[in-house]
Amino acid sequence: MSMSCKVACIVFACCVLVPTKLLAVQAAHRTEHSLWSQTRALTESELAALVSREATSKEAQTARIRALLTQSDRAINRSVVDATRYLEEAEALITTQEDASVVALAIRCQLAHRQSLPGAAQTCQQLTQNDRSQDAFVQAFAMTTRMYYLYREGSHQESINAAEHALSLAMVVDDPALIASAHNMMGLYFSTRLRPRMSVPHYEIALEQASRVPYAELKTITQLNLASSYNYLGRSREALTMLYESRGSQVVQIYPTRRLVVQSMIGQVRAALGETDGAEENLQRVIDEVGETVLPDGMTYGYTGLGVIQLAENRPLEALDNFDMVLALSGKSLETDLDYSRIQLMAVPYARALRMADRLAEARDLVLRIIASVPGDQPDQQLLDAYLELAVTLEALGDSEGAKAANEEATRVESTLWDASFKYQVERLSVSLESDRRALELARAQEREVALLSLAQRESRLRRQTWIIGAMIIAVIALFFSRRAQKRIADAQRSASLALEDQVRERTREMEDEMALRMTAEVDRIKLTERVMEGEKLRAMGQLTAGVAHDFNNLMTVVTLGANQLKDDLLPVENPDRAETIDNIRQAAETGAKITRGLLAYVREQPLNPEYLNLDEFLRESTALFRNTIGERIVLDVEAAPCSVLVDKAQLTTALLNVLLNAREAMPEGGRITLTLSAFGDQARIQIRDNGVGMAPHVLEQATEPFFTTKQHEEGSGLGLSMVFGFARQSNGDLHIESALGGGTTVTFFLPMAEARTASASDVSTASSNVPRAVRILAVDDRPSVLRVLKRSLSRMVDTVICATNATEALAMIEQQGLPDCVVTDIVMPGEIDGVGLVRTLRQRSPSLPAVLMSGYARDIDDECVYLQKPFSYDQLERAIEEALSREVESVPAHANG
Ligand code: ADP
Ligand code: MG
């Protein structure tokens, strides 16, 4: 594995895997109970839809199980059969020891108990052992079940503790059904102990919560509980409202016992209100209807109700008959079973019936027994009723003292009950405040958790993005760089991701911008490196070119002069074919020389002959030449402001022609070229603008590279712009090209301005005159081949040519034969003295000695000598010598004066 791969793996692990794991843990910890809450908030039809949907994933499967269990839980109060069916469906889907299995077990426990199945206790015991769930909802559900179980088992005190616990858990998950169940249980606890005043607040809260659940059963059951407490407390109107509201509901209608209980209670409440019209008939009808479907124990409610109604209608004997039915059906007696719930409900009315039937002594005895059955330290509503009844009975018996005492006792009991209730309310208030506080804390904790989670999610998303961008950079760079570069980039990347991690908490945007910047910087760096390498390559090429050019130019001199001589030796009429071959040789040599010159120009090694030039004048003079070059189809506009520069005029002409030719080629259909000369700071600026095809960016980028061309093989050499560029730079100026595809091209020269001077004599071109044959010429070159062709060419011009292969030899010859009239010498020669040194030495003796310096290589040009660039033709050689001789003529008077 390469280094970058390792780095990538580590970055991947840190940025992606770790936070993902964290998220998973957090999510698991957080979401389970909210999923239950969501499910339990669904309506019946939504649950049914959820259950019937195809479950393709694990999540969908558990959602289905949750829905089935919720359905089962709801069905318990309505239909044990339905509840069992839903439960079994859910159990078939539960595979592992998951939370759902605890909920399922809890429902099974409730069902078993409700139906008094054998093994119910065992099931519930199992639930207690299995309850190891971490989930708050599951805990609340299990605890609620345990609460019911304990209550039905008769462990009332334990059940109330369980209810308290269940309530706090239910409030944590804010499940209204579970909260209502817990409060119902607490209300029931007090109802059983005949303390309706304490039950009422619990039932009222239960009712409020039950109204929040999306099904009716729980609400109805709570209303019934509340109605019975209201009734007991004499709040008959409220009780009646509740009873009427719940009477029609399904959960009342389908259970005969419940129907009976409701109707009985309606009767009793109406009796208390003194509105007994039809109450007895209605109750009797329900008793007849439910008939045998109700167990005898349930039937007792019916007869109690009938008795109470009859009492209200002042029919004590019939009432006593019905109360006796209750005793008969339940198999209890008023002597021994006064604490049995059914008997409790009926005991005081029974005594009242006895009194009204004038069986006063029996009535008094019963009431006293009732009073005695209530533990002294636990006064309840029944005790109050009993004392009130006792007072009336004793009054009837003529014992007004006793009646007064009983009344006082009743008042005492009532105030005790009020006190106890008041204390309990205060206690409950502080309990509910405490649980509110806990709920608030929990809500805050959840909020924090949610915030943390979203933060973690964002962080991990950003890390992932960072990593992806980072990986892209690593990949791109790995393609282009060596292993060492790869390592460096990976390191940089790693530190970049570390830096980015800090920024992650601030803003995503900032980080992405940063990454983009880094990418651009990296790309820039690559480009820069490429340029530096390119520059180095070109410098090396320059050195090579300059060296090659030197030798090559010497060879070309031999070829060119040789061809000249051959042609002259040959009369064209004699052999035209050969003459043509010789011309071809000469032309080829010239082309070779041009290429060398181009390359030398590019590497800025071209021999330049700078002179002061009025650029504006020069351009105006050259306009005709330019127009000839570009042809008639192209219009040339020239605008020139006065500017003067120090420049090689011939090279400048060549450069401008090159640019104009390019412009012409860019406008094959014709067009317009604007040539503008203007001053630009201390620079003269020549702009050549065409409206031709323009260049694509990649062409523009390479246009000045030697041999870069987009033209056909014969048409372009790719040396034009490279030469122009090299020349501009070598002249201490610069060259800029602007171009866009289809938008034309503008080439701009910058040349440093110089003080104008009048043209020197040397600028005046000499008229073509032949070199006098009497002139004695000294020719010096270290290459024998060059020297030989040079001697032969010179011999055509003059009679005497003295040859030497180096400076020392030349000086020795001059010692013997005297000074020549003109020296033609190579510049670069082996030995202590080179060509320039030789001319200087000779000029110590004759200061105006005409001299021609030849070179295949660029050098600083001695202003006093004529320079001849190798290779040259016979004509060029002749003109150079003529010029050298003419300078001597000019300088003679000066010499004579001095
Ligand atoms: P050559 O003309 O031999 O191709 P140059 O160095 O003169 O070589 O030019 C290089 C390339 O630059 C050309 O091949 C052409 O693609 C492009 N070029 C130069 N001048 C222009 C211009 N005025 N308009 C469009 N393209 C041009
Ligand atoms: Mg060109």
Side-chain angles (χ1 to χ4, degrees):
M1 202 196 276
S2 83
M3 192 64 199
S4 61
C5 283
K6 277 182 202 159
V7 170
C9 288
I10 291 165
V11 171
F12 181 77
C14 293
C15 300
V16 182
L17 298 181
V18 175
T20 311
K21 189 70 194 296
L22 205 80
L23 280 182
V25 170
Q26 284 184 354
H29 174 66
R30 205 185 75 84
T31 54
E32 194 58 36
H33 81 243
S34 57
L35 289 175
W36 279 107
S37 301
Q38 281 164 22
T39 311
R40 285 167 67 84
L42 298 176
T43 63
E44 291 301 307
S45 55
E46 286 169 336
L47 282 177
L50 191 58
V51 167
S52 62
R53 198 180 301 156
E54 186 94 28
T56 45
S57 64
K58 174 104 176 61
E59 282 71 34
Q61 184 77 333
T62 54
R64 197 173 173 185
I65 293 171
R66 272 195 297 273
L68 279 166
L69 290 175
T70 304
Q71 282 183 315
S72 176
D73 177 43
R74 279 182 200 181
I76 286 179
N77 283 320
R78 195 182 59 224
S79 156
V80 170
V81 179
D82 285 354
T84 310
R85 184 164 50 81
Y86 290 134
L87 175 63
E88 282 169 358
E89 259 182 72
E91 280 174 338
L93 296 172
I94 297 172
T95 49
T96 49
Q97 264 312 105
E98 53 201 321
D99 286 342
S101 67
V102 178
V103 175
L105 186 61
I107 295 176
R108 187 152 285 291
C109 165
Q110 289 188 37
L111 281 169
H113 227 272
R114 223 167 250 265
Q115 301 172 90
S116 310
L117 294 179
Q122 210 186 335
T123 314
C124 298
Q125 217 67 54
Q126 218 180 320
L127 176 68
T128 318
Q129 288 156 12
N130 273 19
D131 183 16
R132 287 194 209 93
S133 170
Q134 290 298 304
D135 181 65
F137 169 79
V138 177
Q139 285 175 3
F141 196 86
M143 188 52 75
T144 306
T145 304
R146 190 137 81 227
M147 159 192 98
Y148 286 133
Y149 159 72
L150 290 167
Y151 182 76
R152 292 213 173 89
E153 288 288 292
S155 316
H156 289 188
Q157 191 54 49
E158 282 174 51
S159 90
I160 196 81
N161 293 341
E164 197 72 69
H165 193 181
L167 178 61
S168 63
L169 288 169
M171 289 194 31
V172 164
V173 295
D174 191 26
D175 188 299
L178 295 184
I179 296 174
S181 295
H183 275 293
N184 262 331
M185 177 55 65
M186 292 176 186
L188 218 51
Y189 172 79
F190 290 113
S191 292
T192 321
R193 301 173 84 201
L194 305 177
R195 305 271 175 70
R197 226 181 284 279
M198 292 190 188
S199 305
V200 166
H202 284 297
Y203 290 146
E204 282 174 347
I205 297 174
L207 184 58
E208 190 187 306
Q209 293 292 324
S211 308
R212 286 172 61 200
V213 301
Y215 54 101
E217 288 84 350
L218 194 57
K219 186 179 173 190
T220 306
I221 287 165
T222 311
Q223 281 179 322
L224 293 180
N225 288 339
L226 188 55
S228 93
S229 288
Y230 279 158
N231 181 34
Y232 212 162
L233 287 171
R235 295 165 68 174
S236 309
R237 281 274 163 236
E238 292 159 275
L240 201 57
T241 316
M242 295 276 140
L243 289 168
Y244 281 150
E245 227 179 90
S246 51
R247 184 168 56 175
S249 80
Q250 203 192 5
V251 70
V252 170
Q253 287 302 314
I254 58 171
Y255 281 106
T257 312
R258 227 173 250 161
R259 253 182 88 193
L260 189 58
V261 168
V262 171
Q263 199 57 51
S264 165
M265 270 164 63
I266 289 175
Q268 292 180 48
V269 172
R270 290 183 61 191
L273 289 168
E275 302 166 359
T276 51
D277 301 358
E280 192 183 350
E281 289 75 21
N282 285 343
L283 180 54
Q284 190 61 55
R285 199 175 51 245
V286 174
I287 293 173
D288 294 344
E289 271 169 27
V290 298
E292 274 122 51
T293 57
V294 174
L295 294 170
D297 191 49
M299 219 27 146
T300 59
Y301 289 109
Y303 292 110
T304 305
L306 283 178
V308 171
I309 296 168
Q310 284 156 354
L311 264 189
E313 289 183 339
N314 216 350
R315 294 152 56 199
L317 295 178
E318 287 160 82
L320 280 174
D321 280 351
N322 280 316
F323 291 149
D324 284 335
M325 269 300 274
V326 172
L327 292 173
L329 284 170
S330 59
K332 308 282 178 183
S333 93
L334 286 172
E335 270 72 42
T336 52
D337 303 310
L338 275 173
D339 57 349
Y340 181 64
S341 64
R342 308 279 189 273
I343 306 300
Q344 277 179 336
L345 290 175
M346 190 201 69
V348 174
Y350 198 102
R352 191 177 303 142
L354 284 175
R355 173 175 56 81
M356 287 164 75
D358 274 335
R359 293 159 64 179
L360 296 175
E362 279 175 73
R364 185 197 54 203
D365 290 350
L366 178 56
V367 171
L368 288 174
R369 272 209 312 281
I370 295 170
I371 291 172
S373 76
V374 179
D377 58 336
Q378 288 168 27
D380 59 18
Q381 191 71 25
Q382 193 185 30
L383 187 63
L384 174 62
D385 287 354
Y387 273 121
L388 289 172
E389 182 56 39
L390 181 62
V392 180
T393 311
L394 289 177
E395 195 70 64
L397 279 169
D399 182 0
S400 42
E401 273 303 301
K404 199 178 157 214
N407 261 328
E408 275 167 12
E409 205 51 37
T411 314
R412 192 188 57 80
V413 170
E414 188 167 26
S415 82
T416 315
L417 288 176
W418 273 113
D419 273 3
S421 154
F422 183 70
K423 261 191 211 142
Y424 182 67
Q425 298 306 325
V426 171
E427 251 172 54
R428 283 301 311 164
L429 199 70
S430 70
V431 167
S432 84
L433 279 177
E434 172 64 13
S435 60
D436 277 0
R437 194 183 58 77
R438 256 186 271 145
L440 195 74
E441 258 174 27
L442 187 91
R444 287 216 188 106
Q446 277 181 347
E447 255 168 42
R448 269 200 300 278
E449 217 174 330
V450 168
L452 217 77
L453 192 77
S454 82
L455 198 77
Q457 272 169 343
R458 222 175 76 174
E459 211 170 295
S460 100
R461 200 179 57 227
L462 294 180
R463 279 192 196 160
R464 259 198 298 275
Q465 282 175 358
T466 311
W467 183 78
I468 289 166
I469 296 172
M472 274 164 61
I473 293 185
I474 292 175
V476 167
I477 286 164
L479 277 172
F480 289 108
F481 280 91
S482 68
R483 265 183 89 164
R484 201 169 137 233
Q486 263 182 12
K487 186 174 172 282
R488 214 170 47 229
I489 298 306
D491 287 349
Q493 184 50 40
R494 204 166 31 195
S495 63
S497 10
L498 283 176
L500 282 167
E501 246 177 67
D502 289 344
Q503 295 180 1
V504 152
R505 281 168 207 91
E506 295 177 18
R507 283 198 306 274
T508 320
R509 194 76 217 133
E510 230 170 61
M511 192 204 67
E512 281 170 354
D513 288 352
E514 168 78 10
M515 289 310 292
L517 274 175
R518 272 166 197 278
M519 234 152 141
T520 334
E522 199 48 52
V523 170
D524 284 353
R525 210 180 63 76
I526 296 169
K527 277 189 184 159
L528 197 72
T529 317
E530 277 173 358
R531 283 221 186 109
V532 168
M533 277 161 62
E534 193 66 21
E536 262 162 20
K537 197 176 79 190
L538 286 175
R539 246 196 307 287
M541 195 185 99
Q543 279 166 7
L544 188 74
T545 311
V548 169
H550 179 232
D551 287 346
F552 190 74
N553 284 338
N554 279 312
L555 298 178
M556 283 304 145
T557 310
V558 178
V559 175
T560 310
L561 289 183
N564 279 344
Q565 284 159 19
L566 275 179
K567 203 180 171 200
D568 288 351
D569 291 349
L570 209 82
L571 282 176
V573 276
E574 262 176 41
N575 198 336
D577 284 352
R578 269 198 208 165
E580 202 185 314
T581 310
I582 291 165
D583 270 341
N584 285 345
I585 292 172
R586 217 185 53 227
Q587 270 167 22
E590 268 164 24
T591 310
K594 245 191 227 163
I595 291 175
T596 322
R597 268 203 299 283
L599 282 176
L600 282 174
Y602 180 68
V603 299
R604 292 153 225 177
E605 296 283 0
Q606 176 176 230
L608 288 184
N609 204 354
E611 58 188 274
Y612 290 99
L613 196 64
N614 282 329
L615 259 186
D616 45 328
E617 249 171 55
F618 161 78
L619 288 180
R620 271 190 291 276
E621 279 164 16
S622 312
T623 304
L625 169 70
F626 293 161
R627 291 222 163 92
N628 277 342
T629 311
I630 58 178
E632 281 164 6
R633 288 214 267 182
I634 294 170
V635 181
L636 174 68
D637 294 328
V638 180
E639 243 175 72
C643 284
S644 57
V645 293
L646 181 65
V647 75
D648 186 316
K649 185 173 155 186
Q651 293 303 334
L652 179 62
T653 311
T654 312
L656 293 176
L657 282 175
N658 258 314
V659 174
L660 290 168
L661 280 174
N662 280 345
R664 184 186 74 181
E665 279 148 18
M667 300 185 290
E669 306 296 324
R672 179 180 289 272
I673 298 175
T674 321
L675 196 159
T676 329
L677 168 68
S678 57
F680 186 82
D682 55 356
Q683 309 261 326
R685 179 174 65 180
I686 308 172
Q687 274 186 316
I688 299 164
R689 189 192 312 271
D690 68 55
N691 57 355
V693 293
M695 290 179 246
H698 74 278
V699 175
L700 180 61
E701 203 175 295
Q702 300 175 81
T704 55
E705 284 175 16
F707 302 113
F708 173 82
T709 179
T710 58
K711 295 166 191 168
Q712 293 298 310
H713 207 58
E714 292 291 306
E715 287 166 20
S717 64
L719 281 172
L721 285 181
S722 63
M723 217 167 107
V724 174
F725 181 63
F727 162 69
R729 284 284 175 89
Q730 202 181 340
S731 309
N732 302 319
D734 207 348
L735 186 82
H736 284 190
I737 306 176
E738 279 170 72
S739 187
L741 253 194
T745 302
T746 307
V747 178
T748 312
F749 274 100
F750 290 98
L751 292 170
M753 298 265 219
E755 269 303 299
R757 275 209 231 149
T758 43
S760 69
S762 66
D763 295 333
V764 183
S765 57
T766 48
S768 58
S769 61
N770 285 325
V771 179
R773 289 210 67 88
V775 171
R776 292 172 68 236
I777 297 179
L778 167 67
V780 192
D781 200 302
D782 59 320
R783 287 165 199 250
S785 56
V786 177
L787 192 60
R788 268 199 304 278
V789 284
L790 187 62
K791 187 181 178 187
R792 286 192 62 183
S793 299
L794 290 172
S795 302
R796 289 169 177 272
M797 283 178 236
V798 296
D799 293 334
T800 320
V801 180
I802 310 157
C803 289
T805 55
N806 56 52
T808 324
E809 194 185 324
L811 288 171
M813 289 173 90
I814 287 165
E815 278 311 312
Q816 290 170 5
Q817 302 175 24
L819 273 173
D821 300 316
C822 182
V823 185
V824 179
T825 176
D826 191 16
I827 297 176
V828 186
M829 287 183 298
E832 277 172 20
I833 313 170
D834 64 2
V836 179
L838 173 66
V839 173
R840 283 202 190 118
T841 315
L842 294 179
R843 281 192 175 161
Q844 281 167 3
R845 296 160 77 173
S846 167
S848 58
L849 180 71
V852 174
L853 291 175
M854 307 176 291
S855 181
Y857 202 67
R859 280 292 133 128
D860 284 339
I861 303 305
D862 189 334
D863 238 4
E864 307 297 313
C865 299
V866 174
Y867 180 80
L868 189 60
Q869 164 79 51
K870 285 179 181 174
F872 44 84
S873 66
Y874 178 82
D875 292 344
Q876 286 168 325
L877 176 65
E878 190 173 35
R879 268 201 304 280
I881 292 168
E882 277 169 18
E883 198 189 328
L885 291 174
S886 72
R887 282 191 193 181
E888 186 228 12
V889 171
E890 294 277 319
S891 58
V892 167
H895 190 240
N897 285 345

